[in-house]
Amino acid sequence: MIVQIYEVRSAEEAVALTACGVDHIGILVGFGAFPREIAPAAARRIFAACPVGTTRVALSLSAEAAEIDRVVAETEPDIIHIGAAPRLFSPTAAAAVKARHPEVRVMRSIPVVDSGSVAIARAYEGIADFLLLDSHDPGDRQVGALGRTHDWTISRRIVDSVNVPVILAGGLGADNVAAAIAAVGPAGVDSKTKTDHADGSGKDLDAVRAFVAAAKIRS
């Protein structure tokens, strides 16, 4: 079971998270258009501190291909995570990113809203290396960052019918990740909100350890 944690904000935090058993270190990278974005140079320093074997994930919420290309070039991640709403960034655009950066795997956020989400996910077969299934409010420019769960039966349909590994996100913590894994059967799980300190000062390592333990034991 892959465990992915967002949003990592320092080299020290990244090292501590990997010591907790986290597999994917996720950083929100950008140029100031969205709250909490980290500049590419800072993200690259965090990635450089990650132990060998850690998967480094750069999340861009931009719908501009040139900006996503800059994130890839300036952070050198293992995975570029495209988080723009599907209406703003198409499968064709994602395929073009993959073609321009063949050394980097592509993760695509899929909004889990209704049965139409299954069709959106299917459109990324042969393009995305991972799908991240997350909650979504229609009209948002990005998928996720809401801190709440969604309809896991739809996520299960995506897992069962789309030939791309799925990472399940959306309001997951130690209290519900085992139930989520049982319901959905994903390749991995993601946590952001429920593993943050309540004051927003960074990751709560005790919450991360509990999340990792619950996810790995269940798997």
Side-chain angles (χ1 to χ4, degrees):
M1 183 62 54
I2 297 166
V3 173
Q4 176 170 285
I5 296 292
Y6 275 110
E7 296 163 4
V8 182
R9 303 189 65 83
S10 71
E12 294 77 14
E13 195 169 68
V15 171
L17 290 171
T18 59
C20 293
V22 174
D23 305 294
H24 285 193
I25 294 295
I27 303 176
L28 173 58
V29 185
F31 304 91
F34 292 88
R36 305 187 309 278
E37 287 179 327
I38 289 180
R44 186 167 179 164
R45 288 193 293 271
I46 296 170
F47 284 154
C50 292
V52 174
T54 306
T55 299
R56 304 160 305 165
V57 187
L59 168 61
S60 173
L61 300 179
S62 177
E64 300 297 327
E67 185 167 321
I68 294 172
D69 288 343
R70 280 189 65 191
V71 169
V72 173
E74 296 180 27
T75 66
E76 297 186 349
D78 300 303
I79 297 173
I80 179 66
H81 179 181
I82 300 170
R87 73 181 190 282
L88 301 176
F89 205 85
S90 68
T92 300
V97 170
K98 189 175 181 69
R100 290 192 298 273
H101 306 283
E103 75 287 359
V104 179
R105 287 172 286 173
V106 170
M107 182 182 296
R108 183 64 170 108
S109 289
I110 304 296
V112 181
V113 177
D114 53 30
S115 59
S117 300
V118 181
I120 293 171
R122 284 179 180 151
Y124 287 92
E125 283 192 327
I127 297 170
D129 299 284
F130 294 97
L131 300 177
L132 183 118
L133 308 187
D134 211 341
S135 308
H136 181 64
D137 282 337
D140 280 357
R141 291 186 294 161
Q142 78 287 335
V143 180
L146 297 175
R148 67 167 191 258
T149 59
H150 52 258
D151 186 343
W152 290 341
T153 64
I154 298 172
S155 291
R156 183 68 193 221
R157 287 176 58 194
I158 293 171
V159 168
D160 289 343
S161 63
V162 181
N163 190 29
V164 183
V166 159
I167 294 181
L168 182 67
L172 298 184
D175 61 326
N176 62 359
V177 69
I181 291 168
V184 177
V189 288
D190 171 283
S191 181
K192 192 276 178 188
T193 305
K194 284 192 170 184
T195 49
D196 280 344
H197 282 297
D199 63 1
S201 60
K203 304 310 297 183
D204 181 335
L205 295 183
D206 288 337
V208 171
R209 291 186 193 98
F211 181 75
V212 171
K216 301 280 189 181
I217 289 171
R218 176 64 206 180
S219 63

